[in-house]
């Protein structure tokens, strides 16, 4: 039931993900951040088995940091995406990771970009992408309203339309979403869309 989607606008990329931590029929919490800041100008939004998702994204994050430490220059978004794809492909025939990734980044030379990487190591540069059951609704909404020259405000409005469609039409829809943006100023949180908050039970 996970929902992860993203798009590229005029000089920026936005990714959004649900924040539900689910196992079987149980919802453990509503504030699980599934979008990792890879470095100062890259974001990784991931869906899949929780253990694989956390372990693999942290592995990629540390290796990207190691490359910068050893060589003195950061990987470009394309290079980081190709590294990620290579690691998934290597693991595919040994102990595969059940994880799907949208990698967003900003480079001074090429601008903003978004890469689609699925669990069988398919890599493709896209203008918009999505994973999970929410993709049935977010992709169709983005197909209808997406433009490559969108401003940040227009892109956020489109993201909110996708979230509304998911909440309205998905039978078991996640209530909360986190939205992050990356542009020339770096990767950062943009907003949380919460309809349900975690309730702490009082001690008896």
């Amino acid at each position: 039931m996970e929902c992860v989607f993203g798009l590229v606008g005029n000089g920026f990329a936005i990714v959004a993900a649900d924040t539900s931590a689910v196992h079987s029929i149980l919802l453990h919490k509503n504030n699980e951040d599934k979008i990792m800041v890879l470095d100062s100008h890259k974001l990784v939004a991931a869906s899949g088995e929780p253990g694989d998702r956390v372990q693999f994204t942290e592995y990629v994050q540390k290796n990207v940091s190691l490359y910068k430490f050893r060589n003195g220059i950061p990987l470009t978004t394309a290079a980081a995406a190709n590294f990620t794809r290579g690691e998934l492909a290597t693991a595919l025939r040994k102990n595969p990771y059940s994880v799907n990734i949208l990698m967003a980044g900003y480079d001074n030379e090429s601008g903003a970009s978004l890469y689609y990487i699925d669990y069988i190591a398919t890599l493709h540069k896209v203008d918009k992408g999505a994973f999970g059951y929410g993709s049935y609704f977010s992709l169709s909404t983005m197909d209808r309203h997406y433009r490559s020259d969108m401003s940040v405000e227009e892109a956020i409005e489109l993201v909110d339309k996708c979230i509304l469609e998911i909440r309205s039409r998905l039978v078991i829809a996640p209530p909360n979403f986190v939205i992050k943006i990356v542009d020339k100023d770096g990767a950062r949180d943009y907003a949380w869309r919460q309809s349900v908050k975690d309730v702490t039970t009082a001690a008896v």
Side-chain angles (χ1 to χ4, degrees), residues 188-200:
R188 60 197 183 276
D189 280 18
Y190 185 88
W192 287 68
R193 298 291 189 253
Q194 292 181 300
S195 59
V196 173
K197 293 186 178 181
D198 280 344
V199 178
T200 55

Side-chain angles (χ1 to χ4, degrees), residues 105-120:
Y106 184 90
D107 302 295
N108 291 328
E109 298 79 16
S110 55
S113 56
L114 181 69
Y115 290 86
Y116 171 107
I117 312 165
D118 69 10
Y119 72 102
I120 53 172

Side-chain angles (χ1 to χ4, degrees), residues 14-21 29-37 53 156 159-160 163 167 174-181 188-198:
I14 287 178
V15 287
D18 75 281
T19 61
S20 299
K29 61 178 183 175
N30 281 312
N31 59 356
E32 175 80 4
D33 191 350
K34 299 176 183 177
I35 306 176
M36 174 179 281
V37 177
R53 173 174 54 79
I156 290 297
V159 168
D160 285 335
I163 292 173
R167 286 175 175 169
N176 300 340
F177 288 81
V178 58
I179 304 168
K180 296 189 181 183
I181 187 170
R188 60 197 183 276
D189 280 18
Y190 185 88
W192 287 68
R193 298 291 189 253
Q194 292 181 300
S195 59
V196 173
K197 293 186 178 181
D198 280 344

